[in-house]
mmCIF file of all heavy atoms in Angstrom:
data_model
loop_
_atom_site.group_PDB
_atom_site.id
_atom_site.type_symbol
_atom_site.label_atom_id
_atom_site.label_comp_id
_atom_site.label_asym_id
_atom_site.label_seq_id
_atom_site.Cartn_x
_atom_site.Cartn_y
_atom_site.Cartn_z
ATOM 1 N N LEU L 1 -7.073 -8.946 7.935
ATOM 2 C CA LEU L 1 -7.614 -9.268 6.603
ATOM 3 C C LEU L 1 -8.015 -10.747 6.534
ATOM 4 O O LEU L 1 -9.090 -11.101 5.981
ATOM 5 C CB LEU L 1 -6.599 -8.980 5.506
ATOM 6 C CG LEU L 1 -6.255 -7.505 5.322
ATOM 7 C CD1 LEU L 1 -5.164 -7.297 4.241
ATOM 8 C CD2 LEU L 1 -7.465 -6.634 4.990
ATOM 9 N N ASN L 2 -7.230 -11.626 7.115
ATOM 10 C CA ASN L 2 -7.539 -13.062 7.124
ATOM 11 C C ASN L 2 -8.775 -13.365 7.943
ATOM 12 O O ASN L 2 -9.531 -14.311 7.674
ATOM 13 C CB ASN L 2 -6.370 -13.886 7.666
ATOM 14 C CG ASN L 2 -5.225 -13.940 6.676
ATOM 15 O OD1 ASN L 2 -5.417 -13.846 5.432
ATOM 16 N ND2 ASN L 2 -3.990 -14.086 7.174
ATOM 17 N N ILE L 3 -9.038 -12.543 9.000
ATOM 18 C CA ILE L 3 -10.217 -12.753 9.834
ATOM 19 C C ILE L 3 -11.514 -12.409 9.083
ATOM 20 O O ILE L 3 -12.498 -13.140 9.209
ATOM 21 C CB ILE L 3 -10.141 -11.886 11.142
ATOM 22 C CG1 ILE L 3 -9.017 -12.381 12.035
ATOM 23 C CG2 ILE L 3 -11.468 -11.878 11.864
ATOM 24 C CD1 ILE L 3 -8.773 -11.453 13.226
ATOM 25 N N VAL L 4 -11.470 -11.373 8.224
ATOM 26 C CA VAL L 4 -12.657 -10.985 7.506
ATOM 27 C C VAL L 4 -12.794 -11.613 6.133
ATOM 28 O O VAL L 4 -13.832 -11.476 5.503
ATOM 29 C CB VAL L 4 -12.724 -9.446 7.408
ATOM 30 C CG1 VAL L 4 -12.713 -8.793 8.806
ATOM 31 C CG2 VAL L 4 -11.588 -8.894 6.550
ATOM 32 N N ARG L 5 -11.777 -12.329 5.630
ATOM 33 C CA ARG L 5 -11.859 -12.868 4.300
ATOM 34 C C ARG L 5 -12.943 -13.950 4.094
ATOM 35 O O ARG L 5 -13.470 -14.088 2.989
ATOM 36 C CB ARG L 5 -10.486 -13.426 3.891
ATOM 37 C CG ARG L 5 -9.567 -12.327 3.322
ATOM 38 C CD ARG L 5 -8.409 -12.882 2.524
ATOM 39 N NE ARG L 5 -7.631 -11.776 2.035
ATOM 40 C CZ ARG L 5 -6.374 -11.441 2.429
ATOM 41 N NH1 ARG L 5 -5.799 -12.201 3.373
ATOM 42 N NH2 ARG L 5 -5.760 -10.453 1.875
ATOM 43 N N PRO L 6 -13.306 -14.706 5.139
ATOM 44 C CA PRO L 6 -14.408 -15.653 4.925
ATOM 45 C C PRO L 6 -15.738 -14.933 4.467
ATOM 46 O O PRO L 6 -16.561 -15.558 3.756
ATOM 47 C CB PRO L 6 -14.586 -16.303 6.285
ATOM 48 C CG PRO L 6 -13.218 -16.250 6.870
ATOM 49 C CD PRO L 6 -12.674 -14.936 6.430
ATOM 50 N N LEU L 7 -15.858 -13.708 4.839
ATOM 51 C CA LEU L 7 -17.038 -12.938 4.429
ATOM 52 C C LEU L 7 -16.791 -12.078 3.211
ATOM 53 O O LEU L 7 -17.640 -11.956 2.299
ATOM 54 C CB LEU L 7 -17.492 -12.015 5.565
ATOM 55 C CG LEU L 7 -18.231 -12.670 6.703
ATOM 56 C CD1 LEU L 7 -18.493 -11.640 7.801
ATOM 57 C CD2 LEU L 7 -19.557 -13.245 6.264
ATOM 58 N N TYR L 8 -15.565 -11.496 3.130
ATOM 59 C CA TYR L 8 -15.227 -10.575 2.042
ATOM 60 C C TYR L 8 -14.002 -11.151 1.311
ATOM 61 O O TYR L 8 -12.866 -10.820 1.614
ATOM 62 C CB TYR L 8 -14.919 -9.177 2.576
ATOM 63 C CG TYR L 8 -15.897 -8.687 3.631
ATOM 64 C CD1 TYR L 8 -15.442 -8.198 4.846
ATOM 65 C CD2 TYR L 8 -17.266 -8.749 3.423
ATOM 66 C CE1 TYR L 8 -16.316 -7.773 5.832
ATOM 67 C CE2 TYR L 8 -18.168 -8.339 4.430
ATOM 68 C CZ TYR L 8 -17.671 -7.858 5.592
ATOM 69 O OH TYR L 8 -18.525 -7.429 6.572
ATOM 70 N N ALA L 9 -14.257 -12.053 0.386
ATOM 71 C CA ALA L 9 -13.176 -12.779 -0.254
ATOM 72 C C ALA L 9 -12.182 -11.913 -1.014
ATOM 73 O O ALA L 9 -10.973 -12.208 -1.071
ATOM 74 C CB ALA L 9 -13.792 -13.832 -1.242
ATOM 75 N N ASP L 10 -12.644 -10.781 -1.506
ATOM 76 C CA ASP L 10 -11.784 -9.922 -2.320
ATOM 77 C C ASP L 10 -11.178 -8.771 -1.524
ATOM 78 O O ASP L 10 -10.615 -7.836 -2.094
ATOM 79 C CB ASP L 10 -12.629 -9.312 -3.471
ATOM 80 C CG ASP L 10 -13.110 -10.407 -4.426
ATOM 81 O OD1 ASP L 10 -12.415 -11.410 -4.606
ATOM 82 O OD2 ASP L 10 -14.246 -10.218 -4.962
ATOM 83 N N VAL L 11 -11.228 -8.848 -0.203
ATOM 84 C CA VAL L 11 -10.740 -7.707 0.615
ATOM 85 C C VAL L 11 -9.210 -7.651 0.529
ATOM 86 O O VAL L 11 -8.516 -8.669 0.492
ATOM 87 C CB VAL L 11 -11.169 -7.893 2.079
ATOM 88 C CG1 VAL L 11 -10.517 -9.033 2.743
ATOM 89 C CG2 VAL L 11 -10.927 -6.592 2.858
ATOM 90 N N THR L 12 -8.711 -6.432 0.450
ATOM 91 C CA THR L 12 -7.258 -6.186 0.495
ATOM 92 C C THR L 12 -7.023 -4.998 1.428
ATOM 93 O O THR L 12 -7.987 -4.344 1.912
ATOM 94 C CB THR L 12 -6.750 -5.775 -0.939
ATOM 95 O OG1 THR L 12 -7.375 -4.548 -1.314
ATOM 96 C CG2 THR L 12 -7.055 -6.891 -1.943
ATOM 97 N N LEU L 13 -5.782 -4.697 1.644
ATOM 98 C CA LEU L 13 -5.458 -3.539 2.501
ATOM 99 C C LEU L 13 -6.026 -2.253 1.929
ATOM 100 O O LEU L 13 -6.489 -1.371 2.680
ATOM 101 C CB LEU L 13 -3.951 -3.431 2.668
ATOM 102 C CG LEU L 13 -3.437 -2.272 3.530
ATOM 103 C CD1 LEU L 13 -4.008 -2.375 4.941
ATOM 104 C CD2 LEU L 13 -1.891 -2.261 3.580
ATOM 105 N N GLN L 14 -6.015 -2.154 0.579
ATOM 106 C CA GLN L 14 -6.486 -0.939 -0.059
ATOM 107 C C GLN L 14 -8.014 -0.783 0.037
ATOM 108 O O GLN L 14 -8.517 0.363 0.152
ATOM 109 C CB GLN L 14 -6.054 -0.933 -1.554
ATOM 110 C CG GLN L 14 -4.574 -0.715 -1.794
ATOM 111 C CD GLN L 14 -3.748 -1.941 -1.333
ATOM 112 O OE1 GLN L 14 -4.170 -3.073 -1.437
ATOM 113 N NE2 GLN L 14 -2.534 -1.640 -0.883
ATOM 114 N N ASN L 15 -8.770 -1.830 0.001
ATOM 115 C CA ASN L 15 -10.196 -1.684 -0.010
ATOM 116 C C ASN L 15 -10.846 -2.152 1.314
ATOM 117 O O ASN L 15 -12.070 -2.282 1.423
ATOM 118 C CB ASN L 15 -10.856 -2.457 -1.144
ATOM 119 C CG ASN L 15 -10.603 -3.971 -1.075
ATOM 120 O OD1 ASN L 15 -10.311 -4.526 -0.046
ATOM 121 N ND2 ASN L 15 -10.766 -4.646 -2.219
ATOM 122 N N PHE L 16 -10.003 -2.417 2.316
ATOM 123 C CA PHE L 16 -10.524 -2.944 3.602
ATOM 124 C C PHE L 16 -11.658 -2.081 4.190
ATOM 125 O O PHE L 16 -12.704 -2.583 4.573
ATOM 126 C CB PHE L 16 -9.381 -3.108 4.635
ATOM 127 C CG PHE L 16 -9.917 -3.420 6.014
ATOM 128 C CD1 PHE L 16 -10.297 -4.712 6.342
ATOM 129 C CD2 PHE L 16 -10.037 -2.415 6.968
ATOM 130 C CE1 PHE L 16 -10.793 -4.980 7.630
ATOM 131 C CE2 PHE L 16 -10.495 -2.677 8.233
ATOM 132 C CZ PHE L 16 -10.873 -3.978 8.541
ATOM 133 N N TYR L 17 -11.385 -0.778 4.294
ATOM 134 C CA TYR L 17 -12.379 0.075 4.943
ATOM 135 C C TYR L 17 -13.663 0.129 4.160
ATOM 136 O O TYR L 17 -14.774 0.232 4.744
ATOM 137 C CB TYR L 17 -11.808 1.467 5.128
ATOM 138 C CG TYR L 17 -10.866 1.581 6.297
ATOM 139 C CD1 TYR L 17 -9.505 1.917 6.128
ATOM 140 C CD2 TYR L 17 -11.306 1.330 7.598
ATOM 141 C CE1 TYR L 17 -8.635 2.015 7.200
ATOM 142 C CE2 TYR L 17 -10.439 1.392 8.676
ATOM 143 C CZ TYR L 17 -9.104 1.735 8.475
ATOM 144 O OH TYR L 17 -8.268 1.806 9.554
ATOM 145 N N ALA L 18 -13.613 0.053 2.858
ATOM 146 C CA ALA L 18 -14.858 0.095 2.076
ATOM 147 C C ALA L 18 -15.677 -1.145 2.369
ATOM 148 O O ALA L 18 -16.901 -1.071 2.565
ATOM 149 C CB ALA L 18 -14.527 0.132 0.562
ATOM 150 N N TYR L 19 -15.024 -2.309 2.494
ATOM 151 C CA TYR L 19 -15.751 -3.516 2.835
ATOM 152 C C TYR L 19 -16.229 -3.483 4.267
ATOM 153 O O TYR L 19 -17.406 -3.697 4.552
ATOM 154 C CB TYR L 19 -14.867 -4.758 2.626
ATOM 155 C CG TYR L 19 -14.838 -5.304 1.239
ATOM 156 C CD1 TYR L 19 -13.831 -4.988 0.322
ATOM 157 C CD2 TYR L 19 -15.829 -6.219 0.805
ATOM 158 C CE1 TYR L 19 -13.834 -5.476 -0.963
ATOM 159 C CE2 TYR L 19 -15.834 -6.705 -0.490
ATOM 160 C CZ TYR L 19 -14.815 -6.373 -1.360
ATOM 161 O OH TYR L 19 -14.820 -6.899 -2.635
ATOM 162 N N TYR L 20 -15.264 -3.256 5.142
ATOM 163 C CA TYR L 20 -15.616 -3.406 6.589
ATOM 164 C C TYR L 20 -16.612 -2.369 7.074
ATOM 165 O O TYR L 20 -17.559 -2.698 7.816
ATOM 166 C CB TYR L 20 -14.307 -3.329 7.385
ATOM 167 C CG TYR L 20 -14.555 -3.459 8.892
ATOM 168 C CD1 TYR L 20 -14.989 -4.667 9.448
ATOM 169 C CD2 TYR L 20 -14.362 -2.349 9.755
ATOM 170 C CE1 TYR L 20 -15.221 -4.780 10.782
ATOM 171 C CE2 TYR L 20 -14.579 -2.488 11.136
ATOM 172 C CZ TYR L 20 -14.984 -3.677 11.643
ATOM 173 O OH TYR L 20 -15.253 -3.823 12.978
ATOM 174 N N LEU L 21 -16.422 -1.105 6.733
ATOM 175 C CA LEU L 21 -17.295 -0.031 7.236
ATOM 176 C C LEU L 21 -18.680 -0.089 6.646
ATOM 177 O O LEU L 21 -19.680 0.077 7.371
ATOM 178 C CB LEU L 21 -16.652 1.322 6.955
ATOM 179 C CG LEU L 21 -15.352 1.612 7.698
ATOM 180 C CD1 LEU L 21 -14.821 2.978 7.303
ATOM 181 C CD2 LEU L 21 -15.476 1.510 9.205
ATOM 182 N N PHE L 22 -18.804 -0.390 5.366
ATOM 183 C CA PHE L 22 -20.105 -0.252 4.682
ATOM 184 C C PHE L 22 -20.822 -1.581 4.469
ATOM 185 O O PHE L 22 -21.999 -1.576 4.197
ATOM 186 C CB PHE L 22 -19.890 0.521 3.377
ATOM 187 C CG PHE L 22 -19.399 1.899 3.588
ATOM 188 C CD1 PHE L 22 -18.094 2.204 3.283
ATOM 189 C CD2 PHE L 22 -20.207 2.888 4.073
ATOM 190 C CE1 PHE L 22 -17.592 3.495 3.485
ATOM 191 C CE2 PHE L 22 -19.686 4.170 4.299
ATOM 192 C CZ PHE L 22 -18.400 4.465 3.993
ATOM 193 N N LEU L 23 -20.082 -2.694 4.625
ATOM 194 C CA LEU L 23 -20.730 -4.011 4.588
ATOM 195 C C LEU L 23 -20.775 -4.678 5.922
ATOM 196 O O LEU L 23 -21.502 -5.621 6.142
ATOM 197 C CB LEU L 23 -19.996 -4.916 3.602
ATOM 198 C CG LEU L 23 -20.063 -4.516 2.118
ATOM 199 C CD1 LEU L 23 -19.276 -5.506 1.255
ATOM 200 C CD2 LEU L 23 -21.469 -4.367 1.608
ATOM 201 N N GLY L 24 -19.947 -4.134 6.868
ATOM 202 C CA GLY L 24 -19.898 -4.699 8.209
ATOM 203 C C GLY L 24 -20.449 -3.750 9.266
ATOM 204 O O GLY L 24 -21.565 -3.956 9.766
ATOM 205 N N VAL L 25 -19.700 -2.708 9.595
ATOM 206 C CA VAL L 25 -20.073 -1.858 10.720
ATOM 207 C C VAL L 25 -21.432 -1.198 10.547
ATOM 208 O O VAL L 25 -22.274 -1.253 11.457
ATOM 209 C CB VAL L 25 -18.948 -0.783 10.908
ATOM 210 C CG1 VAL L 25 -19.400 0.287 11.922
ATOM 211 C CG2 VAL L 25 -17.661 -1.439 11.368
ATOM 212 N N ALA L 26 -21.652 -0.505 9.404
ATOM 213 C CA ALA L 26 -22.886 0.231 9.271
ATOM 214 C C ALA L 26 -24.149 -0.644 9.287
ATOM 215 O O ALA L 26 -25.072 -0.392 10.093
ATOM 216 C CB ALA L 26 -22.843 1.031 7.940
ATOM 217 N N PRO L 27 -24.240 -1.724 8.482
ATOM 218 C CA PRO L 27 -25.422 -2.559 8.563
ATOM 219 C C PRO L 27 -25.551 -3.286 9.852
ATOM 220 O O PRO L 27 -26.672 -3.496 10.388
ATOM 221 C CB PRO L 27 -25.278 -3.515 7.371
ATOM 222 C CG PRO L 27 -23.842 -3.511 7.055
ATOM 223 C CD PRO L 27 -23.340 -2.118 7.376
ATOM 224 N N PHE L 28 -24.386 -3.669 10.482
ATOM 225 C CA PHE L 28 -24.437 -4.359 11.777
ATOM 226 C C PHE L 28 -25.073 -3.459 12.830
ATOM 227 O O PHE L 28 -26.000 -3.876 13.537
ATOM 228 C CB PHE L 28 -23.028 -4.756 12.214
ATOM 229 C CG PHE L 28 -22.943 -5.255 13.623
ATOM 230 C CD1 PHE L 28 -23.292 -6.570 13.892
ATOM 231 C CD2 PHE L 28 -22.524 -4.445 14.644
ATOM 232 C CE1 PHE L 28 -23.267 -7.048 15.219
ATOM 233 C CE2 PHE L 28 -22.464 -4.925 15.941
ATOM 234 C CZ PHE L 28 -22.825 -6.231 16.223
ATOM 235 N N ASN L 29 -24.621 -2.241 12.951
ATOM 236 C CA ASN L 29 -25.160 -1.336 13.924
ATOM 237 C C ASN L 29 -26.565 -0.909 13.627
ATOM 238 O O ASN L 29 -27.396 -0.741 14.490
ATOM 239 C CB ASN L 29 -24.256 -0.071 14.058
ATOM 240 C CG ASN L 29 -23.045 -0.321 14.944
ATOM 241 O OD1 ASN L 29 -23.114 -0.423 16.158
ATOM 242 N ND2 ASN L 29 -21.889 -0.540 14.310
ATOM 243 N N LEU L 30 -26.864 -0.770 12.347
ATOM 244 C CA LEU L 30 -28.246 -0.457 11.953
ATOM 245 C C LEU L 30 -29.209 -1.559 12.373
ATOM 246 O O LEU L 30 -30.291 -1.255 12.921
ATOM 247 C CB LEU L 30 -28.331 -0.214 10.448
ATOM 248 C CG LEU L 30 -29.675 0.180 9.882
ATOM 249 C CD1 LEU L 30 -30.154 1.509 10.501
ATOM 250 C CD2 LEU L 30 -29.608 0.283 8.362
ATOM 251 N N LEU L 31 -28.834 -2.805 12.145
ATOM 252 C CA LEU L 31 -29.681 -3.957 12.538
ATOM 253 C C LEU L 31 -29.796 -4.020 14.057
ATOM 254 O O LEU L 31 -30.913 -4.090 14.588
ATOM 255 C CB LEU L 31 -29.099 -5.261 11.980
ATOM 256 C CG LEU L 31 -29.761 -6.524 12.463
ATOM 257 C CD1 LEU L 31 -31.199 -6.585 11.971
ATOM 258 C CD2 LEU L 31 -28.947 -7.762 11.975
ATOM 259 N N ARG L 32 -28.685 -3.997 14.741
ATOM 260 C CA ARG L 32 -28.670 -4.161 16.210
ATOM 261 C C ARG L 32 -29.441 -3.055 16.881
ATOM 262 O O ARG L 32 -30.282 -3.333 17.788
ATOM 263 C CB ARG L 32 -27.209 -4.191 16.694
ATOM 264 C CG ARG L 32 -27.065 -4.413 18.187
ATOM 265 C CD ARG L 32 -25.610 -4.439 18.585
ATOM 266 N NE ARG L 32 -25.011 -3.091 18.586
ATOM 267 C CZ ARG L 32 -25.136 -2.227 19.594
ATOM 268 N NH1 ARG L 32 -25.859 -2.536 20.684
ATOM 269 N NH2 ARG L 32 -24.540 -1.058 19.545
ATOM 270 N N LEU L 33 -29.204 -1.842 16.473
ATOM 271 C CA LEU L 33 -29.863 -0.713 17.180
ATOM 272 C C LEU L 33 -31.333 -0.520 16.731
ATOM 273 O O LEU L 33 -32.126 0.024 17.489
ATOM 274 C CB LEU L 33 -29.055 0.574 16.949
ATOM 275 C CG LEU L 33 -27.696 0.534 17.647
ATOM 276 C CD1 LEU L 33 -26.855 1.697 17.207
ATOM 277 C CD2 LEU L 33 -27.851 0.511 19.135
ATOM 278 N N SER L 34 -31.647 -0.950 15.527
ATOM 279 C CA SER L 34 -33.084 -0.943 15.123
ATOM 280 C C SER L 34 -33.882 -1.894 15.997
ATOM 281 O O SER L 34 -35.005 -1.562 16.406
ATOM 282 C CB SER L 34 -33.197 -1.334 13.651
ATOM 283 O OG SER L 34 -32.586 -0.357 12.835
ATOM 284 N N ILE L 35 -33.295 -3.052 16.327
ATOM 285 C CA ILE L 35 -33.994 -3.970 17.241
ATOM 286 C C ILE L 35 -34.091 -3.346 18.642
ATOM 287 O O ILE L 35 -35.156 -3.415 19.277
ATOM 288 C CB ILE L 35 -33.216 -5.339 17.310
ATOM 289 C CG1 ILE L 35 -33.262 -6.011 15.967
ATOM 290 C CG2 ILE L 35 -33.841 -6.215 18.370
ATOM 291 C CD1 ILE L 35 -32.380 -7.226 15.863
ATOM 292 N N THR L 36 -33.004 -2.711 19.103
ATOM 293 C CA THR L 36 -33.049 -2.048 20.396
ATOM 294 C C THR L 36 -34.093 -0.961 20.448
ATOM 295 O O THR L 36 -34.809 -0.801 21.412
ATOM 296 C CB THR L 36 -31.628 -1.451 20.717
ATOM 297 O OG1 THR L 36 -30.684 -2.491 20.687
ATOM 298 C CG2 THR L 36 -31.643 -0.793 22.082
ATOM 299 N N ALA L 37 -34.116 -0.155 19.364
ATOM 300 C CA ALA L 37 -35.114 0.953 19.298
ATOM 301 C C ALA L 37 -36.527 0.393 19.280
ATOM 302 O O ALA L 37 -37.427 0.953 19.930
ATOM 303 C CB ALA L 37 -34.838 1.796 18.064
ATOM 304 N N LEU L 38 -36.740 -0.678 18.525
ATOM 305 C CA LEU L 38 -38.076 -1.273 18.455
ATOM 306 C C LEU L 38 -38.544 -1.797 19.830
ATOM 307 O O LEU L 38 -39.660 -1.605 20.287
ATOM 308 C CB LEU L 38 -38.112 -2.418 17.448
ATOM 309 C CG LEU L 38 -39.454 -3.181 17.298
ATOM 310 C CD1 LEU L 38 -40.547 -2.235 16.840
ATOM 311 C CD2 LEU L 38 -39.291 -4.332 16.316
ATOM 312 N N LEU L 39 -37.599 -2.453 20.526
ATOM 313 C CA LEU L 39 -37.931 -2.956 21.871
ATOM 314 C C LEU L 39 -38.193 -1.774 22.840
ATOM 315 O O LEU L 39 -39.136 -1.864 23.643
ATOM 316 C CB LEU L 39 -36.713 -3.749 22.449
ATOM 317 C CG LEU L 39 -36.485 -5.123 21.772
ATOM 318 C CD1 LEU L 39 -35.200 -5.726 22.303
ATOM 319 C CD2 LEU L 39 -37.646 -6.042 22.023
ATOM 320 N N THR L 40 -37.450 -0.712 22.743
ATOM 321 C CA THR L 40 -37.714 0.474 23.544
ATOM 322 C C THR L 40 -39.111 1.029 23.246
ATOM 323 O O THR L 40 -39.853 1.341 24.197
ATOM 324 C CB THR L 40 -36.671 1.546 23.271
ATOM 325 O OG1 THR L 40 -35.375 1.007 23.528
ATOM 326 C CG2 THR L 40 -36.894 2.773 24.177
#
């Protein structure tokens, strides 16, 4: 939680997955792989 708090100030154990999965993992992979797909 301390690692991700600089980005998600209000993150807690209860809402961690909501923040991390939908503000971190999903857009991160969407951006990264969209660039990969475009290059392909």
Side-chain angles (χ1 to χ4, degrees):
L1 295 177
N2 287 333
I3 292 174
V4 300
R5 275 198 179 112
L7 284 174
Y8 318 128
D10 298 326
V11 69
T12 65
L13 180 58
Q14 289 70 34
N15 63 19
F16 170 79
Y17 282 118
Y19 274 97
Y20 179 68
L21 295 179
F22 299 105
L23 295 180
V25 171
F28 171 79
N29 280 285
L30 182 61
L31 173 63
R32 183 180 74 82
L33 292 171
S34 293
I35 296 172
T36 302
L38 178 62
L39 289 173
T40 303

